[in-house]
Amino acid sequence: MTDPAKARAALQLIEYISDRLTQTRLLFASDAEHKKAFHGEAAQAVRDWRRSAVCMFPGCAERTIVASHTLQRAGPISPLLEDDHVLTPRSYKGRLSMVKIGGAEASTFPGYCAGHENAFSSFERGRTIRSETDLALQIFRSLCREIRRKEFDLARLETRVADLHARLSRDVEHEARRLGVEFSTFTYEGMHLNLAEDYIEEAGRTLAELRALHAAHYPAVERSGPTGLEGIAFEIELPFPVALSGMTDLHLPDRTVMCLLGVIPQDAGTLIFMVGPPGSQDRINGHLEHKTARLPLIDTIERWMIRGTDHWFIKPSVWRAIPAARQRALLAEMQKADHSIATPLTLSIFDDMRREAAAVAFPPPPAVRSPLVEAYVAEQLNRIC
């Protein structure tokens, strides 16, 4: 027969464990200790991101410099600078905002050793991407940055979860002794730590997919063969005031894959690319079906910024010209995890570009005015209101 006192003690221990699994701050002695740990982790993350790692060229064991560029200052970042700064979205304590960052710091990561940094010198010196080799190298370093970021985020989360596990085990053992309850181990489901562990598994799968893209593309980098990736790259004489490089989900009929996006300011316009794994060409073609039409392309790039990736840098005056209420609405849209780059966006970022493109798409009388075009242009201009 169960001892009522022991049963009550066991229930108390279960409640104790449940409280700490649903409110992990209880694993800290005080709110001050919790905040100190949080800020300490944030500061450590900044230091770790600036720390040398192993070069990302296959077969190279050399240590990296601490600031390789995905988008270099003396290239795509340069035309966006105002007072030597750009704006980029950053999240802190769950709040997304636009922050000012120096041109030399924008888009840096610990990517390559000093020797392999020279691989990118051809288009870095010329400040523009002119050849297939230049494009292959830009795609390569965009991929490398995404891999290193995912490795970094995954390592941070694993460290965080391990620390919480250690704290939980220590506290539970102490409370069990206090209550006089004997137990060997415990499991839990549907709690905050389970969600973190699920994310670790998902991040591991994503990292494996990114590394597969890296391996498939590398022959084009070392010029031993073509890239194994599919996609579109084109230049348009339309100077977008943003530089973007990032990964997003691309939904194929039978699966979801990772897709690389790029918006690279050039001397005479903008280089735009979208690449993915084998089997993604048709969906990429459909996504960029109207790539030569200015209004649809503006709409596409804005969706990439808001629905696709947060790794972009914008000319400060362009963002500051957006009314504050619309700025807040755009940042709120960025945090909607259930949306994709195919999800419509009804808010404008590039107001001046949109007005100019609308004037070209729908000239004033006596030009022929199509009702369909008129409705489309009106909807586009309504996004500025």
Side-chain angles (χ1 to χ4, degrees), residues 45-61:
V46 172
R47 290 191 294 270
D48 288 348
W49 186 245
R50 294 172 178 169
R51 192 168 289 163
S52 178
V54 176
C55 179
M56 299 195 73
F57 270 76
C60 182

Side-chain angles (χ1 to χ4, degrees), residues 4 43 55 68 126 150 180 202 204 232 239 291 300 334-335 343 376 379:
C55 179
S68 298
K150 186 59 70 175
E202 180 184 344
I232 293 176
K291 65 180 185 293
T300 295
M334 285 187 71
Q335 297 181 86
T343 306
Y376 175 72
E379 188 277 327

Side-chain angles (χ1 to χ4, degrees), residues 160-180:
R160 173 67 167 160
V161 169
D163 175 65
L164 292 175
H165 271 302
R167 289 175 180 271
L168 179 62
S169 296
R170 179 201 63 200
D171 288 4
V172 170
E173 288 174 8
H174 180 272
E175 183 67 6
R177 285 195 300 270
R178 189 187 71 81
L179 293 171

Side-chain angles (χ1 to χ4, degrees), residues 252-266:
L252 304 183
D254 59 339
R255 68 193 193 281
T256 298
V257 298
M258 299 300 296
C259 181
L260 183 66
L261 309 174
V263 179
I264 316 292
Q266 303 284 282

Side-chain angles (χ1 to χ4, degrees), residues 288-305:
L288 289 171
E289 180 182 5
H290 303 292
K291 65 180 185 293
T292 59
R294 294 193 171 196
L295 271 176
L297 185 59
I298 291 168
D299 181 38
T300 295
I301 301 307
E302 289 174 335
R303 280 185 282 121
W304 286 8
M305 294 167 67

Side-chain angles (χ1 to χ4, degrees), residues 266-318:
Q266 303 284 282
D267 289 342
T270 308
L271 171 70
I272 295 167
F273 62 78
M274 182 177 187
V275 296
S280 59
Q281 188 67 60
D282 288 346
R283 187 54 57 94
I284 291 172
N285 290 345
H287 186 77
L288 289 171
E289 180 182 5
H290 303 292
K291 65 180 185 293
T292 59
R294 294 193 171 196
L295 271 176
L297 185 59
I298 291 168
D299 181 38
T300 295
I301 301 307
E302 289 174 335
R303 280 185 282 121
W304 286 8
M305 294 167 67
I306 303 302
R307 311 284 195 216
T309 176
D310 62 359
H311 187 236
W312 47 267
F313 305 88
I314 193 169
K315 182 180 284 190
S317 59
V318 173

